[in-house]
Amino acid sequence: MEPDFYKIAKKWQKEWEKEDIFKTREDKTHKKFYCLEMFPYPSGYLHMGHVRNYTIGDAYARYKRMKGFNVLYPMGYDSFGLPAENAAIKNSVNPKEWTEKNIEGIKKQEKEMGFSYDWSREIATHKEEYYRWNQWFFLQFWKKGLAYQKEGFVNWCPSCRTVLANEQVVNGKCWRCGSDVEKKNLKQWYLKITDYAERLLKDLDSLDDWPEPVKIMQKNWIGKSEGTKIKFRIKGIDKEIETFTTRADTIYGITYLVIAPEHPLTTELIQDSDKEEEARRFINECMNESYESRIAENKKKRGFFTGSYAIHPLTQEEIPIFIANYVLFEYGTGIVMGVPAHDQRDFMFAKEYNLPIRLVIKPVSSEINEEDMSEAYLGSGILVNSGPFNGLKNEEAIPKIQDYLEKEGLGKRATTYKLRDWLISRQRYWGTPIPMIYCKKCGVVPEKEENLPVVLPEDVEFGSGNPLATSKTFVHTKCPYCGGDAIRETDTMDTFFDSSWYFLRYISPKNREAPFEKKEADYWFPVDQYIGGIEHAVLHLLYSRFFTKVLYDMGLVSSEEPFKRLLTQGMVVKDGAKMSKSLGNVVDPQEFNVKYGPDTLRFFILFAASPENELDWKNRETEGNYKFLVRLYSRILETKKILKNQKAGKEINLYDKYMLSIINRAISELDELFNGFRFNLAITKIMKLGEELFNYLKRNDIKEDVIDEYVVALLKLISPITPHIAEELWHQLGHDSFISLENWPESDSKKIDATAEFLIELNEKISEDIMTIRKLVKIPAKRIKLILAEDWKYELYNFIKKGAKEKDIKSFVMNSEFKRYGKEALFIAEEFMKNPQKISEPIFNKDEELESYTLSIDYIKKDLKLDLDIILKKNSTDETEKVKQRKANPGKPAIIFE
């Protein structure tokens, strides 16, 4: 009867919870280890992607506990957000009720998987005791000048009816619902992440244990550019504008300026012109184009002439100013100089609108005619048409032009970033209220800290506009400074604010006086291992780094980075596509657990692929994993019975040495594999250890102390992967402790015996060779003879393996007794010199090889189901057998069927 792994899991989950064995102890005598996965958004129950993430984290946390670390391993819920609000609108249910029901379901799933969280530290961001500190942090940012309000064009999702940060717009669509994003001019709240742009960029180099793709994505998003800001006067208006360029060497090639449609200057330039209405239509069209469409290299460049001109700072030439779809307000100053001869986008735009193309960099070894150019010249060369800078190499000209501009007050060296300040305002209900108040007398003022939290009201109406604005009890308040009538801010915070510091709240989740206890943070923080999807590389991870740096500057934490080591796990796919209800390829974790038990699911998840790669779900493999675990469980339970029925030998033999050697070697190897998250390779080794145990238990001379040492180590090694099965077997074998709290096994190097391993592996090869020959031999055999190689071959092999040089080997063969073996001895030597790996590592000993086969004869016969004798011969006097023996080699005896 097969074991019920689901029932076993439920048993041990109750025992673990009863004894509270995973509660983090305040034991600072041990080195700490903070292991964390990105917490889930409770929009529904867990899918396999979540289960994979948390299985990886749990296996690692369990491993670290066994290695003697004081482990902090918590779980919580990122529970504010738009899906709850949408569900409230759709189903007429309170967002809090919907959210907490989902949290209850997720938590049940997590417990059924046996995840070893310290549940006493559970948090949920929608609870007042959490979001109170969101508001407190906002006020600290306000005091430091890092939180501010301004009006500007923002990304607006008409479906979600809320503002989106740039990072939340993907291919021109809302990251959450997929609707086309529009541009809208609104007053919003921002955090000055740009003040930290350089530190965020520079400190990426210190994150040695982060995946390189994540660091590259953040570097690209921050987008540092070093160049020059150049001033232009606008004709007829007492106003200066600035452009930013990395190519000051092309300044004399400017034939027009282009301005981003979102730029506030556009309104001023087109106001009261005869084409104002047409210009506004063009601006709206541009702003509703996707980001990707606007910056695409080969996409048609669209522009609109404002009717205004700028004055070139060096030539005093009048230059037309266009509004263009390919210029972004987020980059540089939002105004770009058009140099069509040396920029492909500018070239395309100039051709489209019949604008001059002026060559200012000439190739050294060829001629270019401006009239015949079919594309921009992007290479290096010598400056021409560039006034006093003619004849300079363009690279050398850049600093000289910068010096001149600075001297004349016409420009300056500058560094810009693509990164823009973090827009945190959201026009929705289910989020943290922004603790700001609008007073007619005092203006915009912060709520007093002692009045926090500003509680989210429940008397709101959903359906149109911002729900918070419908709550009169919330909106109407008193100014905390003058006591006069005032109204509250009705925007709530972006939920990425919640997740930018949650890892610190786990340190002191019950603290009512502060978001976390600094003394505890000094011990636990930063997170040692963080695990989550690469889709958060820019959003969550960048914001968390920014938040941590601000807290560091405030003296609240001692680390400038939140996560030491980062693992980004791959998604789970089935039938060639990501698991999705719409595709009908979802595997329900609960159904799987009931059928096979959570340990089978954990085993498969960790075995099927390395964590950073996609996991391809295959039902056949999960069934195979289940059968292995059933066999391992059953055989280990049977060991006592097997020992009782076997005639155990007293002295340790070669096979015993082999078993002790492979388990002690595996302890060290698996230690390294676990630490490197190579769980798939670790499980491959564990399955091999299981098979070797099965083979050993077939023998007639097994040793109890060998079995005990082997099984104890094997159970500890597999415990982080299949904790429930390991716990059950541990107790069935008579142990009173929890294996989950046992130490990682110690490897005894004295028991690692390479020779024993090699010789036993020879037996496996012999079995394979016998099976192959048996299939070829048609006449039924009465016996099999195994005749070892001639003595001289052992001597020659040993001489070669001792590290002799090529010339020494040839000399040895030609000037010793081996000479009489002639070409064969020389052939062996030459083969070795071509490929030294052909001869195995252990030094060959004929007597040991004979002992190995002698010990294994019964096992080989049983394994191969042979009803005939196997006769071993060290040497033969029979002439016919001698012929066969001459063809044998050390480790590969002659096999004769008679």
Side-chain angles (χ1 to χ4, degrees):
M1 182 177 175
E2 288 186 352
D4 187 337
F5 287 153
Y6 180 69
K7 186 176 179 182
I8 289 169
K10 297 294 284 184
K11 169 187 172 181
W12 288 108
Q13 287 159 12
K14 286 179 183 176
E15 289 296 317
W16 294 336
E17 189 168 359
K18 177 183 170 186
E19 298 297 326
D20 204 9
I21 70 169
F22 301 123
K23 184 178 176 64
T24 305
R25 313 297 170 185
E26 298 301 327
D27 180 5
K28 293 177 184 175
T29 61
H30 283 67
K31 190 175 180 181
K32 69 95 177 179
F33 193 86
Y34 188 173
C35 184
L36 186 66
E37 307 111 7
M38 294 179 186
F39 62 170
Y41 182 80
S43 58
Y45 288 0
L46 295 184
H47 54 67
M48 278 298 178
H50 289 117
V51 173
R52 186 184 191 200
N53 187 357
Y54 307 149
T55 298
I56 292 166
D58 183 66
Y60 199 68
R62 287 175 176 274
Y63 160 71
K64 283 295 184 179
R65 276 194 208 98
M66 296 181 80
K67 290 294 290 183
F69 287 87
N70 187 23
V71 174
L72 173 59
Y73 184 48
M75 173 49 68
Y77 305 95
D78 190 9
S79 46
F80 269 143
L82 194 60
E85 194 162 329
N86 288 343
I89 296 168
K90 183 179 179 180
N91 303 314
S92 299
V93 63
N94 186 289
K96 183 177 180 181
E97 178 186 337
W98 184 84
T99 298
E100 292 185 345
K101 181 182 177 183
N102 284 338
I103 288 176
E104 184 182 345
I106 291 173
K107 187 173 178 180
K108 181 174 183 289
Q109 286 181 291
E110 289 168 334
K111 287 190 170 185
E112 288 195 338
M113 285 299 299
F115 299 142
S116 57
Y117 298 125
D118 177 357
W119 288 107
S120 70
R121 295 175 183 263
E122 178 187 349
I123 62 171
T125 60
H126 76 284
K127 294 188 175 180
E128 290 176 26
E129 60 264 30
Y130 186 89
Y131 72 72
R132 167 193 178 181
W133 299 111
N134 279 350
Q135 294 171 343
W136 183 85
F137 279 126
F138 181 90
L139 296 182
Q140 309 317 304
F141 278 57
W142 169 267
K143 289 176 190 176
K144 286 177 66 67
L146 292 172
Y148 69 97
Q149 192 179 37
K150 73 171 182 178
E151 189 175 89
F153 284 101
V154 295
N155 302 307
W156 175 262
C157 176
S159 176
C160 298
R161 301 189 65 78
T162 189
V163 166
L164 303 175
N166 289 333
E167 296 90 335
Q168 294 167 322
V169 180
V170 181
N171 297 326
K173 298 182 183 296
C174 173
W175 77 297
R176 179 68 75 181
C177 73
S179 298
D180 289 332
V181 172
E182 301 171 356
K183 291 289 183 180
K184 209 169 189 180
N185 197 25
L186 294 173
K187 186 173 275 191
Q188 301 287 288
W189 288 98
Y190 295 82
L191 297 183
K192 277 193 176 179
I193 192 173
T194 52
D195 280 9
Y196 285 77
E198 184 60 28
R199 283 168 67 182
L200 287 166
L201 181 66
K202 179 176 67 70
D203 290 351
L204 284 170
D205 293 335
S206 70
L207 299 175
D208 296 331
D209 292 321
W210 276 42
E212 199 58 33
V214 173
K215 294 198 285 186
I216 290 170
M217 289 167 75
Q218 289 208 5
K219 285 178 181 177
N220 290 340
W221 190 261
I222 295 167
K224 180 178 180 179
S225 295
E226 293 181 338
T228 315
K229 283 186 176 178
I230 303 171
K231 295 178 182 179
F232 292 79
R233 287 181 296 109
I234 300 179
K235 182 183 177 182
I237 303 177
D238 186 19
K239 196 178 193 73
E240 274 189 346
I241 59 174
E242 283 186 326
T243 67
F244 173 80
T245 181
T246 59
R247 296 292 307 276
D249 54 330
T250 64
I251 188 169
Y252 283 90
I254 301 171
T255 59
Y256 64 94
L257 295 185
V258 277
I259 184 168
E262 303 92 336
H263 201 293
L265 182 62
T266 58
T267 303
E268 188 174 346
L269 292 178
I270 64 174
Q271 194 168 8
D272 299 328
S273 73
D274 57 352
K275 292 189 176 180
E276 180 179 353
E277 187 177 338
E278 187 181 349
R280 290 190 184 281
R281 279 200 304 271
F282 176 78
I283 289 169
N284 288 332
E285 288 172 9
C286 291
M287 290 197 301
N288 287 327
E289 280 188 62
S290 71
Y291 171 83
E292 288 76 10
S293 174
R294 286 176 64 178
I295 66 169
E297 284 288 337
N298 297 319
K299 183 111 178 182
K300 182 179 178 180
K301 311 307 171 194
R302 299 172 62 228
F304 189 94
F305 178 45
T306 62
S308 297
Y309 291 85
I311 307 301
H312 193 295
L314 299 185
T315 68
Q316 303 307 306
E317 181 183 0
E318 293 184 4
I319 301 168
I321 302 174
F322 282 77
I323 303 166
N325 67 337
Y326 72 94
V327 183
L328 302 175
F329 184 51
E330 291 83 4
Y331 181 75
T333 64
I335 304 173
V336 175
M337 58 190 212
V339 186
H342 304 290
D343 182 280
Q344 186 59 29
R345 292 186 309 169
D346 294 350
F347 183 86
M348 293 168 66
F349 189 86
K351 285 291 188 182
E352 183 71 24
Y353 294 96
N354 199 28
L355 295 166
I357 297 172
R358 183 177 301 137
L359 188 74
V360 292
I361 300 174
K362 178 184 175 183
V364 175
S365 58
S366 62
E367 290 292 330
I368 295 179
N369 188 319
E370 291 165 349
E371 288 76 18
D372 297 331
M373 290 179 72
S374 60
E375 61 182 4
Y377 175 66
L378 307 179
S380 58
I382 305 299
L383 290 195
V384 294
N385 301 321
S386 298
F389 304 101
N390 280 340
L392 290 174
K393 290 181 179 178
N394 68 301
E395 295 92 344
E396 296 172 353
I398 291 176
K400 293 182 183 297
I401 292 172
Q402 289 175 322
D403 290 342
Y404 181 80
L405 291 171
E406 288 179 342
K407 179 184 173 184
E408 299 297 323
L410 300 172
K412 61 183 177 181
R413 289 171 172 85
T415 300
T416 67
Y417 301 88
K418 281 200 306 184
L419 182 68
R420 285 293 175 258
D421 282 339
W422 177 9
L423 191 161
I424 65 163
S425 294
R426 298 294 181 268
Q427 292 67 46
R428 59 185 181 226
Y429 166 71
W430 195 235
T432 301
I434 295 175
M436 300 300 288
I437 291 170
Y438 299 91
C439 173
K440 290 181 180 178
K441 180 179 179 182
C442 303
V444 182
V445 295
E447 181 60 89
K448 288 189 174 180
E449 290 180 21
E450 56 266 31
N451 294 337
L452 300 180
V454 176
V455 177
L456 201 62
E458 294 191 9
D459 59 336
V460 297
E461 296 177 12
F462 296 100
S464 178
N466 187 340
L468 266 184
T470 68
S471 171
K472 294 180 180 178
T473 59
F474 178 82
V475 172
H476 299 289
T477 188
K478 296 292 181 181
C479 174
Y481 299 93
C482 72
D485 290 340
I487 60 173
R488 290 195 181 279
E489 172 62 73
T490 56
D491 282 358
T492 54
M493 296 183 196
D494 177 15
T495 54
F496 281 105
F497 195 104
D498 305 356
S499 60
S500 292
W501 71 277
Y502 79 105
F503 39 84
L504 285 160
R505 186 60 179 171
Y506 284 133
I507 291 168
S508 313
K510 309 299 182 192
N511 195 317
R512 293 179 177 273
E513 307 302 320
F516 53 87
E517 174 64 46
K518 185 178 186 307
K519 193 167 107 179
E520 295 302 310
D522 286 343
Y523 173 67
W524 286 112
F525 194 66
V527 175
D528 294 283
Q529 180 63 61
Y530 200 39
I531 305 167
I534 199 168
E535 65 272 17
H536 297 292
V538 171
L539 293 159
H540 163 58
L541 291 173
L542 187 65
Y543 293 152
S544 297
R545 294 184 62 226
F546 162 59
F547 219 100
T548 300
K549 290 182 187 302
V550 176
L551 300 192
Y552 175 84
D553 291 347
M554 291 168 61
L556 296 178
V557 295
S558 302
S559 172
E560 288 197 62
E561 290 290 340
F563 314 118
K564 273 188 184 177
R565 191 182 186 198
L566 175 68
L567 173 71
T568 51
Q569 91 282 353
M571 69 176 68
V572 180
V573 300
K574 187 172 184 286
D575 304 326
K578 181 180 178 179
M579 278 196 183
S580 166
K581 288 180 182 178
S582 62
L583 295 175
N585 64 348
V586 170
V587 176
D588 182 0
Q590 177 63 15
E591 287 182 14
F592 189 97
N593 283 350
V594 171
K595 185 175 181 180
Y596 296 109
D599 281 351
T600 304
L601 180 53
R602 293 168 63 105
F603 192 90
F604 173 74
I605 282 173
L606 296 174
F607 174 61
S610 58
E612 64 274 15
N613 293 332
E614 280 187 354
L615 188 157
D616 189 4
W617 187 279
K618 294 180 179 177
N619 291 331
R620 185 182 301 172
E621 287 185 13
T622 60
E623 185 72 30
N625 293 161
Y626 172 71
K627 287 178 179 177
F628 169 79
L629 291 173
V630 168
R631 191 177 177 204
L632 181 68
Y633 179 88
S634 303
R635 294 299 279 169
I636 288 177
L637 275 187
E638 291 171 3
T639 53
K640 298 283 185 188
K641 182 180 176 182
I642 292 170
L643 283 166
K644 187 177 179 181
N645 295 331
Q646 296 271 14
K647 291 182 179 179
K650 292 182 180 178
E651 299 211 5
I652 191 166
N653 60 38
L654 185 64
Y655 212 102
D656 301 326
K657 290 178 184 177
Y658 168 73
M659 294 296 288
L660 294 175
S661 182
I662 61 171
I663 195 66
N664 278 282
R665 186 187 296 278
I667 290 168
S668 298
E669 291 175 345
L670 265 68
D671 193 8
E672 187 176 333
L673 291 172
F674 268 67
N675 200 47
F677 284 94
R678 302 277 73 88
F679 294 115
N680 54 330
L681 300 180
I683 291 175
T684 299
K685 287 187 177 294
I686 285 170
M687 293 177 79
K688 172 69 174 171
L689 291 174
E691 293 297 332
E692 293 298 343
L693 177 63
F694 305 152
N695 292 338
Y696 185 66
L697 292 174
K698 293 177 185 177
R699 301 179 63 83
N700 295 322
D701 55 353
I702 60 177
K703 310 293 192 302
E704 186 169 3
D705 54 347
V706 174
I707 287 288
D708 285 346
E709 181 175 339
Y710 194 96
V711 170
V712 164
L714 181 57
L715 289 180
K716 287 182 178 181
L717 294 174
I718 203 172
S719 175
I721 298 166
T722 57
H724 310 93
I725 292 173
E727 203 75 75
E728 177 68 14
L729 289 169
W730 185 251
H731 283 258
Q732 288 283 356
L733 295 176
H735 300 278
D736 295 327
S737 61
F738 288 103
I739 196 171
S740 299
L741 300 182
E742 286 288 315
N743 290 329
W744 188 260
E746 297 250 346
S747 176
D748 186 346
S749 60
K750 293 178 182 176
K751 292 181 179 178
I752 297 177
D753 190 333
T755 301
E757 290 183 35
F758 172 71
L759 291 171
I760 295 304
E761 285 166 8
L762 284 182
N763 296 333
E764 296 176 3
K765 293 177 183 176
I766 290 296
S767 296
E768 291 173 8
D769 290 344
I770 290 173
M771 284 296 292
T772 301
I773 296 172
R774 190 183 184 193
K775 288 177 183 177
L776 296 173
V777 176
K778 303 297 182 183
I779 302 171
K782 295 180 180 178
R783 59 180 171 268
I784 299 173
K785 290 180 181 178
L786 300 181
I787 307 172
L788 274 60
E790 294 172 317
D791 296 345
W792 68 270
K793 287 187 179 179
Y794 289 89
E795 190 177 344
L796 176 58
Y797 271 52
N798 282 325
F799 176 78
I800 292 171
K801 288 300 291 182
K802 283 176 182 175
K805 305 290 184 187
E806 182 176 343
K807 63 178 182 177
D808 297 328
I809 295 170
K810 285 187 175 180
S811 176
F812 184 74
V813 170
M814 299 306 296
N815 300 309
S816 68
E817 63 181 70
F818 295 112
K819 189 174 182 180
R820 63 194 174 100
Y821 298 108
K823 292 180 180 179
E824 188 177 359
L826 195 58
F827 175 78
I828 291 172
E830 287 174 347
E831 281 296 298
F832 167 73
M833 286 182 279
K834 287 181 194 171
N835 184 7
Q837 302 307 314
K838 275 200 165 186
I839 299 180
S840 304
E841 281 303 317
I843 301 299
F844 284 86
N845 180 291
K846 195 169 186 178
D847 290 332
E848 286 181 349
E849 187 177 346
L850 184 66
E851 180 192 2
S852 169
Y853 298 146
T854 302
L855 287 168
S856 301
I857 282 176
D858 288 343
Y859 164 69
I860 291 172
K861 288 169 65 175
K862 185 189 285 189
D863 189 49
L864 300 180
K865 299 187 173 103
L866 294 173
D867 294 327
L868 43 85
D869 291 332
I870 298 180
I871 299 169
L872 277 171
K873 287 191 175 185
K874 188 174 180 181
N875 287 300
S876 179
T877 56
D878 183 88
E879 290 301 322
T880 304
E881 291 176 354
K882 277 185 177 182
V883 172
K884 298 282 188 183
Q885 185 180 16
R886 288 190 195 107
K887 295 180 181 179
N889 283 311
K892 196 167 182 65
I895 302 173
I896 303 172
F897 275 64
E898 292 185 342

